[in-house]
Amino acid sequence: MNTRVLQSVCIKGLSAGALAGALALASSAHADVLDDVKKRGKLICGTQNASVPYAFQDPATRSFVGYDVDMCKALAQGLGVTLEHKPLSTEARIPELKMGRVDVVAGAMAYLPERARQVDFSLQYLQGSIKVLVKKDAGITSLAGLAGKKVCASKGSSSAAVAARVLDKSQVLTFQDVASCYLGLQNDKVEGFTAGELVLKRFEVESQEKGAPTVLIGEPTYTERIGLVVNKGNPAMLAAINKVITDMDASGALSANFDKWLGAGSIYKLKREFKVEPVAAP
């Protein structure tokens, strides 16, 4: 119930008791999602469903694992509730949040102004580069070399949004997921495949093992500043998430998670260089 409706009710002479009830209803309609999480004793946290090393099914156990899955676990623990993990397709991340089917998305989701008009971002908990993968024998060594070429991106991804702006001389196509894009590259349906550097690095390693080598173009299309995401109008939930992230940073748990999935304990061997800070570019 909004203010205009309440004013209309008052004009019609609603009793003091009924008016109080109407005001309570209006207030509950705008209750922060943190209240719902605490009442049900469970956090519904969405991640991507097939994005290594962020969130993917372990082939041995069939359970979901990854950097973002561990962030969901840490968030639920920090809030003192149980976790319900919900795997999502890339394009479903924001719609599922807007429809209230998840409370928060840890979906390796980079800050973009158009996204920030729909949802609110937490402090940065991850940073990465968007790059382009090409076949080694194609001889493409720069983004300029993609002019007039077909480049694939996962539907609904920040990679697709960035490619549309940065690779404006290329034909940007969107496929269902990163696996489809990689298959399209191997089958010569596209000349380039753009995604997060870590996702592409895994495909690069796999291609070299299978004798059909691909390589990453060194020049990134964009540096992603990544936060957890909540629906707009939930300041208490956002503050609680930020506290968990800052506590993880202070305790070393955030760096440990990074090292496990992206750093020394992974195939990527990256060093953490990002800070926990607002995701909007300074």
Side-chain angles (χ1 to χ4, degrees):
M1 185 177 294
N2 59 32
T3 304
R4 186 174 297 174
V5 173
L6 286 175
Q7 289 174 339
S8 176
V9 171
C10 291
I11 291 171
K12 293 181 181 179
L14 196 64
S15 69
L19 179 57
L23 286 168
L25 178 61
S27 176
S28 65
H30 294 85
D32 198 288
V33 72
L34 181 61
D35 296 333
D36 296 333
V37 170
K38 293 287 189 179
K39 286 176 183 176
R40 81 168 86 100
K42 179 175 67 176
L43 174 74
I44 306 173
C45 186
T47 70
Q48 294 185 90
N49 58 8
S51 183
V52 180
Y54 305 113
F56 60 101
Q57 277 189 301
D58 184 312
T61 66
R62 307 308 298 168
S63 61
F64 278 88
V65 297
Y67 187 91
D68 282 332
V69 176
D70 283 353
M71 288 300 300
C72 286
K73 292 176 181 177
L75 183 55
Q77 183 178 2
L79 296 177
V81 296
T82 61
L83 172 66
E84 179 181 329
H85 170 246
K86 188 170 185 180
L88 306 170
S89 63
T90 299
E91 69 271 19
R93 291 174 297 179
I94 289 179
E96 288 287 300
L97 190 65
K98 301 298 284 185
M99 289 186 287
R101 293 176 179 170
V102 293
D103 303 312
V104 59
V105 173
M109 195 180 300
Y111 173 87
L112 292 171
E114 53 267 40
R115 284 178 174 166
R117 288 191 286 269
Q118 301 181 69
V119 296
D120 285 333
F121 283 80
S122 75
L123 295 172
Q124 180 173 244
Y125 76 103
L126 185 61
Q127 191 177 88
S129 295
I130 297 177
K131 292 193 172 184
V132 181
L133 189 71
V134 296
K135 280 191 169 182
K136 187 174 182 178
D137 60 12
I140 301 172
T141 58
S142 68
L143 297 182
L146 292 167
K149 309 291 187 183
K150 293 179 182 178
V151 178
C152 179
S154 177
K155 187 183 298 183
S157 67
S158 55
S159 304
V162 169
R165 292 197 296 264
V166 178
L167 304 177
D168 56 341
K169 294 182 180 179
S170 303
Q171 183 181 351
V172 179
L173 307 176
T174 55
F175 289 3
Q176 185 63 33
D177 50 36
V178 293
S180 299
C181 276
Y182 178 63
L183 185 61
L185 177 65
Q186 290 289 15
N187 292 338
D188 296 319
K189 292 183 178 180
V190 296
E191 286 83 19
F193 163 25
T194 183
E197 181 178 12
L198 298 181
V199 172
L200 295 180
K201 186 67 177 178
R202 181 169 288 273
F203 283 121
E204 181 185 40
V205 171
E206 177 185 316
S207 71
Q208 292 169 356
E209 292 173 348
K210 293 185 176 180
T214 59
V215 293
L216 280 168
I217 293 175
E219 182 184 359
T221 62
Y222 186 72
T223 297
E224 297 181 300
R225 296 168 63 85
I226 302 168
L228 303 178
V229 178
V230 298
N231 210 351
K232 283 194 170 294
N234 294 283
M237 185 64 174
L238 194 61
I241 291 170
N242 285 340
K243 184 178 186 306
V244 171
I245 294 173
T246 53
D247 287 349
M248 289 179 70
D249 191 33
S251 70
L254 188 63
S255 290
N257 194 30
F258 181 91
D259 287 343
K260 175 183 177 182
W261 294 106
L262 294 85
S266 73
I267 66 168
Y268 310 109
K269 310 300 180 187
L270 299 181
K271 291 183 179 180
R272 178 188 163 184
E273 297 179 346
F274 67 89
K275 297 179 180 179
V276 170
E277 60 187 3
V279 292

